[in-house]
Structure formats: C-alpha cells, structure tokens
Amino acid sequence: MDRDDCAGKKQEGFSVARMLEERGVSRRDFLKFCSTVTAAMALPATMAPKVAQALDKVQRPPLVWLEFQDCAGDTEALLRSANPTVGELVLDILSVDYHETIMAAAGHQAEANLEKTVKEFQGKYLCVVEGSIPMKEGGAYGCVGGKSHLARAKQVCGSAAATIAVGTCASYGGIAAAAPNPTGAVGVKEAVPGATVINLPGCPCNADNLTAVVVHFLTFGKLPALDSHGRPLFAYGKRIHDNCERRPHFDAGQYVEHWGDDAHRKGHCLYKMGCKGPATFHNCPTQRFNEKVSWPVAAGHGCVGCSEPQFWDTSPLYRRLPNVPGFGIEQNADKIGLAFAAGVGGAFAIHGAMNALRKDKEPAADEETKEGGE
C-alpha cells in the first residue's frame, strides 16, 4: 500500500481494525498480537488495550530501512518473524518508503523515494539501519546511489525522529569491526553522534524486539528506557544465564566436557564449552527464534555473546569465561551437597548448644520461683 492510498483511506475514516478486517485478520488476533508485544516490552498486561488503541489511532509515520556493511541477516530475520502477518501489517501501517532488499523500485526511482521522504517528513520518519558504517578514507569503503554510507547515515539518521540500529553491526560495528578493522567500521551512534539511536544488537536482531520498539514508539511517542549501551531494558535487562533452561545444571555443576558426550546429549550446561551466557544481556531464552521454537543454547550450542560490544575480539568463541559467581563453577553436585550438609550440621550443633544453655538456666529459674512462693 503506497502513501497516497493510506492518505485516501485516512480521509474515509481508515483504521487499523478496518485494515485487519480487509486482510482477513480478526480483531481478536490483533488483540493477541498487542498482548504479545506488551509482554515483550515488559509492560503489565493491563497495558495491552492501550497498545491496541494507540495502533488504531496513531498518526502513521513513514519508515526507511538502510543497509550498509551487512549480510542482510536482520532483514531475513524480519521476513521470518514469529508474527509475520501482523508484523508486516505494522510495517505497512508505517509505510515503508525505502528498503533495498524488499522494495519494488530500483535505481534512481528508489533513491528519489528516499530523498523525498527525508525532505518531506524531516524529524517525523523512523529510520532502521542494518550494517556497520565504514569511516576510513572518508567512508570510501561503502557506497550506495553515489553516496557513501557515512554521508547517507548523516543525512538520513540525522533527520529522523529516531533511528533503530538492528543487529550487532549497526549497533557496534560487528564482524566488520573485528581487528584490524580495515574499513574503520563503527556503529550508527559513533558515526552520527547527534542522532537519536536505539541499539538492538544480536546476530541477527530478534524481529519481535524490533516490533516491540516500534510499537512502544507509536504508543508512547518516545523510545523505551535504555541501558548504558543504548539497548532497551525490556530486551537486554537480564543476563541470558539468568533465564537459561540449562541454569539448573550450572548450579549443580553438571557440564558438557566434550561435544557429543553424554552430558551434551542430556542437555547439561555449556559453560565449559565457551558459553558466554553469564556475561551476555539479551532475552533470547524467552523470546527465542523461528516462531519461538528454539534458540542456540536449546539447540546445543553455547551463547557467543553476540549482543555485547566487541564480542568478536574479547573472548574466543570456544574458550570458557573466567570463573563466574555461582555454585556451579569448579564445583560438582557432591561438593555442593557436602557443603550444605556441613552447614546444616553446624546449624543443628548451634541449636543443641542453645538448648543446653536454656536447660542449665531453667533449674535456677524454678528455684527462684519456689523461693518467691515461700
């Protein structure tokens, strides 16, 4: 649906509800989608009606999607999101004016659409950036439509109401920024310091988190609360380790020692195989991928920490992290059990000593009572 069609339908009293009905999506399904997004944003369930109301009445801003030094993995993730039908509807409502991978226009026509959006909707459109931005040689290592990635980012991100950096490359530079970083690749915020940017790192970004950020912006007119790395707290506020289904095995000291061993087949903890879950903040265990079917750790591979800055250089993928606080590190179930047994034994010993002291005092107290009675 192009912008003229949207404008015409608005004049006729157009609403999201009517669009959904025309496309065969019931109001009930739409409300379910709003409830799912509300939960993804870590908001109380009572906010779901407000989200639905906002999507039904929102002034629909245009959206442009830029691809720089990337593998298009985030676009692929979007196209295979858990809620593809409604997710596409939300982006339809936003009027996606430019996206190199999925738009019908090409060449000069495509670039003209982008220029028109930036000019006519300055400060009102949303921008999504996928891929890192090369800074060396004045940005000469990346060019689209006769403009360098750096120049395009300054133009488009600098004029957007908000820019969403999807994936680790757009957030921090990604694999392209790995040492020795020959192109001088950086994330959007570093390339365009004055832009309003929210980072959604991950290889790839979880499309549910992207949808939640867009819905939050449409509902509240602002971006959600962010952490020190510019990531939304609702998606990056907790460690993967804290929500991992293998956490009980970590606490019990049950680890995979070699790929394919008995512990691996039983689903034990992957910490010793290099899992970076204890140092990585992301909601992968709860949001998951492939229609929420699975995620890397559930499939038997440790977390590589892809949502953290410089994960590609800070620690080899299959080298375990330094000791992490918790029962599981360098422990096993027997040692933990002995520690608990010693603690319980000590508690009983103290309890017994206190009882003995009380008994020693009780006769004296009885004698005082007798003397008072006399």
Side-chain angles (χ1 to χ4, degrees):
M1 179 181 295
D2 60 30
R3 186 178 307 289
D4 294 334
D5 290 338
C6 277
K9 285 184 177 291
K10 286 180 187 177
Q11 294 175 356
E12 299 170 6
F14 171 76
S15 70
V16 174
R18 181 175 297 178
M19 172 184 276
L20 292 171
E21 185 177 352
E22 290 175 355
R23 297 198 179 206
V25 179
S26 69
R27 182 68 178 178
R28 182 175 182 179
D29 288 336
F30 174 65
L31 292 176
K32 285 182 179 179
F33 166 73
C34 292
S35 297
T36 300
V37 173
T38 300
M41 292 189 289
L43 294 174
T46 53
M47 291 297 295
K50 184 173 182 179
V51 171
Q53 184 179 20
L55 288 178
D56 224 0
K57 296 182 179 180
V58 68
Q59 294 296 315
R60 297 159 181 83
L63 180 144
V64 297
W65 187 298
L66 305 177
E67 292 188 64
F68 296 141
Q69 288 188 141
D70 73 315
C71 64
D74 299 293
T75 293
E76 293 291 341
L78 175 69
L79 297 177
R80 291 160 176 76
S81 61
N83 298 291
T85 303
V86 185
E88 289 171 8
L89 285 172
V90 170
L91 293 178
D92 258 348
I93 295 163
L94 287 171
S95 180
V96 181
D97 290 357
Y98 185 90
H99 191 312
E100 295 170 5
T101 302
I102 63 176
M103 63 186 177
H108 295 297
Q109 181 184 9
E111 297 307 307
N113 287 343
L114 178 59
E115 296 289 344
K116 180 180 179 181
T117 298
V118 172
K119 182 178 179 180
E120 294 184 1
F121 297 91
Q122 184 173 3
K124 298 179 181 179
Y125 63 89
L126 292 175
C127 177
V128 175
V129 175
E130 179 177 4
S132 60
I133 300 170
M135 300 285 282
K136 286 186 178 179
E137 309 297 336
Y141 289 103
C143 178
V144 173
K147 284 189 176 182
S148 70
H149 292 339
L150 179 58
R152 182 69 80 190
K154 289 180 177 179
Q155 174 199 14
V156 180
C157 301
S159 299
T163 296
I164 306 172
V166 294
T168 302
C169 292
S171 298
Y172 312 128
I175 298 297
N181 194 359
T183 67
V186 299
V188 178
K189 189 61 178 178
E190 186 173 344
V192 192
T196 300
V197 180
I198 181 171
N199 293 325
L200 294 179
C203 285
C205 162
N206 192 311
D208 291 345
N209 291 334
L210 171 59
T211 303
V213 168
V214 172
V215 170
H216 189 286
F217 184 82
L218 296 180
T219 303
F220 302 104
K222 61 181 181 180
L223 295 176
L226 308 178
D227 68 6
S228 60
H229 294 303
R231 306 174 297 192
L233 287 172
F234 72 76
Y236 301 87
K238 293 184 178 181
R239 296 183 305 166
I240 283 181
H241 186 60
D242 297 330
N243 289 317
C244 180
E245 62 259 39
R246 296 178 186 241
R247 176 61 187 268
H249 295 293
F250 172 88
D251 292 334
Q254 299 171 331
Y255 304 111
V256 176
E257 302 287 347
H258 304 283
W259 298 117
D261 66 11
D262 188 56
H264 193 207
R265 291 192 292 272
K266 290 180 177 178
H268 288 180
C269 180
L270 294 161
Y271 164 74
K272 289 188 176 182
M273 305 305 293
C275 181
K276 305 302 186 293
T280 303
F281 291 80
H282 208 168
N283 60 358
C284 295
T286 53
Q287 286 302 111
R288 300 187 164 218
F289 294 88
N290 298 328
E291 299 188 9
K292 300 187 185 297
V293 171
S294 188
W295 66 294
V297 173
H301 193 284
C303 166
V304 299
C306 67
S307 60
E308 297 299 319
Q310 299 180 323
F311 83 92
W312 50 91
D313 284 332
T314 53
S315 178
L317 297 186
Y318 297 107
R319 181 182 299 172
R320 78 177 195 177
L321 292 167
N323 288 352
V324 179
F327 286 133
I329 303 303
E330 302 300 344
Q331 299 290 336
N332 57 44
D334 292 335
K335 291 181 181 179
I336 295 170
L338 289 173
F340 276 119
V344 172
F348 275 114
I350 293 172
H351 180 70
M354 292 298 293
N355 282 341
L357 287 174
R358 289 194 189 98
K359 289 180 179 179
D360 287 342
K361 291 182 179 181
E362 283 174 1
D366 291 341
E367 290 175 4
E368 289 179 3
T369 303
K370 292 178 181 179
E371 290 176 359
E374 294 174 356

